């Protein structure tokens, strides 16, 4: 299908010399990062780079992948005008910087062949084996034609990639290399495209790099993202930083000299580096603290690398003896590592000129993990990165959990975005177990993080010994205790404030399951009622009848058929008529005119029955039921105008309803009370309601109430039935300031 590769396509070095980036991780991050990565790419350069750690057989395979990719991309050019193959080679070079294995490098070279050039999975398997083909597949976006919008395609493609990455971490490493190179070469794109790709990078790829502990990649992606999403701010800030850097050079040297001496006096072996913060991190600080650049003083920091953990604390002591530490700025990420496994001591000191200077203190091993995260596994081939590995695999596992409960790709993407937020708070269980949660997390997030069952049974929470609302935001150091009740279940309102993807997806799942059970029960009752009109009883159906009925309906189980009926996807009367016809040959069940009879509501229906918010029916009212397709049963007042309109459109979707004499539960009723304006009016009305044991769910009043002689208050109450409501109305009307009080039966 593709022309055989020409031997001349590889290996020929281009004109410019190959510039190697120094792997020195602690070097200052360049202000203009892209300019530093403008090295020419060629197969020769790549092979030279990997010959240091891969075998000749590996190199042979990589040459093969290069030739294949080169042939596939022949005649294709990048927006910059370069031959397309320069991009996959550059991606492979970044992977080689991380010392990834030959399969990952081959996938890097081939990563765009399937998407852009229509190379099939089969061809890749044939030439390069199943593993490489699977890696490439994980990097390939889904075919655009199957989606109605770009957002949908993006969300679905992203989900596919994350799942592939959960199975094989190399997928995301190659993807990050791909994104890094695209970001470094973004200048060739149109302004619109640049902004879109930059935003996506900052929202998704930079946080993933952070989560995997690839801090170097994280910083570069963020800085490039900032540069392309806010080019003006980036330029202005960059200029200001260049000036400031010149001014403060001697200050850095002074601190370096002074601290070097102190460390050597104390007998601690240290490597000491000055480091400059990235433009983006300075920009973030300015935004967070609402400061101008002139007021952001800690643009420099230092990194201290010591032989072992104890030296970290000794070094800290030396620094604190030399310069005063800023109160509240010391953080011990050694005792409590960050979510991505990062460990260090952070402290901010007041330098010789009074400007704050940040120090990070860590061991060599911590430093590797800090800069390279999971990639350290390939980079150093040591077992010392167990922490990063463990936290990474826990995160990947949680992605799979979320996926299992979330079929909607857009929802999945949102969930993952929240989980990727880098800020964390650290809270404690009553038994002093420590838990890391994203900033903004609530006790509900906490309980789901501990255990799904604990989350599902949560009714209240204590923070530091005091009862708090479940929506309370947790802070580092809080001790959180969850109060549970055996039969309680998640409240849909929780979805309005939970922060973690895990809690969100667990709550949705639990709600779906309980709604399923309730729909089944409603469907069973609807079918039983419909059968009695055919002179049949549900209990009399034998397994043979069921088999034939399910065969006809296409449902896999009785419960599924019940659920379909309860959700309004099937009409009970038609199913009942079919049961009657089971023994006869005719197939035309719908020809039997449905007979109608009343279904009894007893309050046990749960979420399978909704009470229409236009008319808010309560027990005792004359009501009708509307079975919308897939929406379950909605109860309306018989004289509701909205219901009348719906009836004209879908007369076949209505069933008669009445209330069971043993109906239970609370129902929402709207009450309008017109009062003479005065002090304490609201309190007296609230007292009237509570004397009669009715909760006020909501109160509204006219906006310009103060200038009017009378005002109209609207209450939403939880009541048991019509009698209960009548009692409350009577108690309200007793007050002299009440001009009028009545139940509102329509929204207007
Ligand atoms: Mn690419």
């Amino acid at each position: 299908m593709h022309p055989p590769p020409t031997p001349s396509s590889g290996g020929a070095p281009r004109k410019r010399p190959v510039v190697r980036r120094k792997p020195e991780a602690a070097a200052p991050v360049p202000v203009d990062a892209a300019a530093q990565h403008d090295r020419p790419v060629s197969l020769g350069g790549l092979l030279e780079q990997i010959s240091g750690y891969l075998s000749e057989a590996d190199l042979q395979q990589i040459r093969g992948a290069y030739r294949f990719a080169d042939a596939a991309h022949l005649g294709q050019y990048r927006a910059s005008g370069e031959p397309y193959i320069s991009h996959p080679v550059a991606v492979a070079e970044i992977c080689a910087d991380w010392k990834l294995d030959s399969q990952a490098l081959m996938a890097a070279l081939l990563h765009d062949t399937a998407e852009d050039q229509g190379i099939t999975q089969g061809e890749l398997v044939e030439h390069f084996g199943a593993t490489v083909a699977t890696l490439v597949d994980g990097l390939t976006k889904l075919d655009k034609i199957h989606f109605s919008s770009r957002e949908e395609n993006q969300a679905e493609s992203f989900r596919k990639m994350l799942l592939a990455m959960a199975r094989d971490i190399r997928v995301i490493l190659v993807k990050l290399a791909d994104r890094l190179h695209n970001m470094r070469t973004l200048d060739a794109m149109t302004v619109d495209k640049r902004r879109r790709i930059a935003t996506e990078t900052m929202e998704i790829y930079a946080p993933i790099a952070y989560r995997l502990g690839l801090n170097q990649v994280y910083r570069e992606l963020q800085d490039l993202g900032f540069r392309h999403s806010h080019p003006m701010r980036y330029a202005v800030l960059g200029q200001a930083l260049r000036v400031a850097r010149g001014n403060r050079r001697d200050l850095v040297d002074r601190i370096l000299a002074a601290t070097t001496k102190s460390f050597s006096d104390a007998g601690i072996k240290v490597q000491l580096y000055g480091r400059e913060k990235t433009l983006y991190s300075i920009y973030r600080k300015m935004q967070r603290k609402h400061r101008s650049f002139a007021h952001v003083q800690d643009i420099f920091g230092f990194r201290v690398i010591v032989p072992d953990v104890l030296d970290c604390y000794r070094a800290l002591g030396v620094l604190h003896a030399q310069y005063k530490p800023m109160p509240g700025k010391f953080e011990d990420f050694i005792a409590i590592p960050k979510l991505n496994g990062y460990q260090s001591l952070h402290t901010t000191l007041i330098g010789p000129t009074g400007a704050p200077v940040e120090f990070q203190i860590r061991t060599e091993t911590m430093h590797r993990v800090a800069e390279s995260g999971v990639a350290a596994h390939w980079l150093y081939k040591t077992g010392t990165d167990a922490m990063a590995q463990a936290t990474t695999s826990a995160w990947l596992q949680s992605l799979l959990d979320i996926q299992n409960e979330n079929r909607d790709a857009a929802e999945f993407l949102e969930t993952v975005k929240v989980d990727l937020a880098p800020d964390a708070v650290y809270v404690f269980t009553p038994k002093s177990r420590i838990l890391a949660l994203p900033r903004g997390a609530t006790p509900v997030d906490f309980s789901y993080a501990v255990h799904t069952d604990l989350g599902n049974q949560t009714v209240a929470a204590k923070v530091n010994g005091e009862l708090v609302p479940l929506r309370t935001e947790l802070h580092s150091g809080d001790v959180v205790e969850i109060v549970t009740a055996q039969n309680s279940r998640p409240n849909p309102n929780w979805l309005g404030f939970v922060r973690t993807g895990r809690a969100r997806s667990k709550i949705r799942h639990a709600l779906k399951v309980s709604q399923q059970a309730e729909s089944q029960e409603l469907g069973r009752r609807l079918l039983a009622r419909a059968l009695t009109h055919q002179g049949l009883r549900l209990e009399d159906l034998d397994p043979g009848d069921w088999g034939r009925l399910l065969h006809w309906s296409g449902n896999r189980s009785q419960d599924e058929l019940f659920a379909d009926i309860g959700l309004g996807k099937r009409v009970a009367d038609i199913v009942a008529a079919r049961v009657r016809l089971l023994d006869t040959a005719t197939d035309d069940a719908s020809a039997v005119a449905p007979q109608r009879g009343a279904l009894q509501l007893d309050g046990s229906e749960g979420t399978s029955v909704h009470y229409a918010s236009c008319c808010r029916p309560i027990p005792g009212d004359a009501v009708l039921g509307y079975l919308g397709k897939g929406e379950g049963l909605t109860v309306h007042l018989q004289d509701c105008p909205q219901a009348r309109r719906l009836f004209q459109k879908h007369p076949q979707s209505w069933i008669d309803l009445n209330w069971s004499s043993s109906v239970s539960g609370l129902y929402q009723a709207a009450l309008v009370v017109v009062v003479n304006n005065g002090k304490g009016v609201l309190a007296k009305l609230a007292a009237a309601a509570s004397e009669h044991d009715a909760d006020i769910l909501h109160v509204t009043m006219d906006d310009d109430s103060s200038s009017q002689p009378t005002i109209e208050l609207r209450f939403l109450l939880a009541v048991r039935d019509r009698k209960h409501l009548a009692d409350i109305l009577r108690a309200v009307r007793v007050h002299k300031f009440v001009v009028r009080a009545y139940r509102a039966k329509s929204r207007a």
Side-chain angles (χ1 to χ4, degrees), residues 78 84 87-88 91 108 111-112 115-116 139 175 178-179 181-182:
R78 302 203 85 212
Y84 195 86
H87 165 64
V91 173
H111 80 270
D112 277 333
E115 194 175 316
D116 298 342
L139 293 158
K175 181 70 201 181
D178 178 30
R179 181 51 65 124
H181 184 248
N182 285 336

Side-chain angles (χ1 to χ4, degrees), residues 155 158-160 162-163 398-400 402-404 406-417:
F158 179 70
R159 169 158 73 169
K160 175 173 169 256
L162 275 192
L163 293 178
S398 82
L399 284 182
L400 290 179
I402 293 170
Q403 149 70 13
N404 286 338
N406 237 317
R407 309 313 300 187
D408 179 37
E411 211 171 81
F412 177 74
L413 180 56
E414 272 317 304
T415 301
V416 172
K417 267 192 205 167

Side-chain angles (χ1 to χ4, degrees), residues 47-349:
L47 291 177
E48 182 198 311
Q49 189 184 357
I50 59 184
S51 61
Y53 72 97
L54 289 180
S55 69
E56 184 48 43
D58 287 334
L59 261 63
Q60 207 49 46
Q61 284 189 309
I62 288 163
R63 269 190 211 104
Y66 171 83
R67 281 195 292 269
F68 188 93
D70 192 32
H73 290 297
L74 200 66
Q76 195 190 356
Y77 293 89
R78 302 203 85 212
S80 62
E82 282 179 286
Y84 195 86
I85 188 68
S86 63
H87 165 64
V89 171
V91 173
E93 286 194 346
I94 296 171
C95 294
D97 282 344
W98 299 332
K99 296 202 168 55
L100 297 195
D101 58 19
S102 63
Q103 288 175 328
L105 292 172
M106 287 158 77
L109 288 168
L110 296 163
H111 80 270
D112 277 333
T113 56
E115 194 175 316
D116 298 342
Q117 303 303 317
I119 301 289
T120 64
Q121 260 312 80
E123 285 173 86
L124 291 175
V125 173
E126 191 189 317
H127 286 89
F128 306 105
T131 308
V132 173
T134 308
L135 289 174
V136 173
D137 182 56
L139 293 158
T140 304
K141 289 201 200 81
L142 291 162
D143 204 336
K144 291 182 188 75
I145 54 175
H146 298 305
F147 298 96
S148 52
S149 70
R150 182 165 77 205
E151 286 70 29
E152 197 190 332
N153 180 8
Q154 246 173 359
E156 205 50 87
S157 295
F158 179 70
R159 169 158 73 169
K160 175 173 169 256
M161 182 192 71
L162 275 192
L163 293 178
M165 139 189 166
R167 284 189 288 271
D168 191 330
I169 191 78
R170 290 175 295 183
V171 168
I172 196 64
L173 294 174
V174 177
K175 181 70 201 181
L176 287 172
D178 178 30
R179 181 51 65 124
L180 192 54
H181 184 248
N182 285 336
M183 289 299 291
R184 286 174 183 173
T185 52
L186 209 53
D187 286 311
M189 297 288 180
T190 61
V191 175
D192 267 6
K193 225 171 175 180
R194 252 187 274 170
R195 186 161 302 143
R196 182 170 62 74
I197 294 174
T199 306
E200 189 187 58
T201 299
M202 297 187 84
E203 277 188 351
I204 296 174
Y205 293 99
I208 288 180
Y210 178 85
R211 193 57 184 255
L212 296 175
L214 294 142
N215 282 310
Q216 245 176 338
V217 178
Y218 168 65
R219 284 194 298 261
E220 189 177 345
L221 284 179
Q222 265 194 335
D223 221 43
L224 288 167
F226 174 43
R227 182 176 141 201
H228 289 288
S229 59
H230 297 91
M232 283 303 286
R233 289 179 212 188
Y234 186 89
V236 170
L237 202 55
Q239 181 55 32
L241 187 65
R242 271 187 290 276
V243 173
R245 195 193 306 149
N247 293 344
R248 296 184 202 180
R249 193 66 248 174
D250 56 329
L251 174 65
V252 173
D253 291 342
R254 251 171 83 192
I255 296 174
L256 261 179
T259 48
T260 303
K261 181 171 186 310
S262 310
F263 284 129
S264 100
D265 287 352
I268 308 173
K269 261 181 65 189
V270 301
Q271 295 165 265
L272 194 56
Y273 304 96
R275 54 181 278 276
E276 192 168 279
K277 308 219 165 148
T278 63
L279 277 186
Y280 184 67
S281 72
I282 294 171
Y283 174 65
R284 278 273 304 271
K285 184 164 252 169
M286 287 164 59
Q287 276 195 322
R288 248 195 338 259
K289 307 207 163 156
H290 307 287
R291 286 195 185 153
S292 68
F293 179 76
H295 290 98
V296 176
Q297 293 182 303
D298 48 345
I299 56 171
F300 291 106
F302 292 88
R303 194 165 283 152
V304 185
I305 315 269
V306 296
D308 62 46
V309 177
L310 216 57
D311 291 327
C312 291
Y313 294 96
R314 289 175 61 208
L316 180 76
V318 169
L319 289 173
H320 282 191
Q322 183 146 27
Y323 301 112
K324 266 211 169 17
M326 296 226 323
K329 294 292 259 178
F330 169 65
E331 280 174 297
D332 186 345
F333 293 117
I334 292 180
I336 302 172
K338 286 192 186 183
L339 281 173
N340 61 12
Y342 175 90
Q343 289 186 293
S344 267
L345 299 177
H346 287 191
T347 186
T348 301
L349 308 176

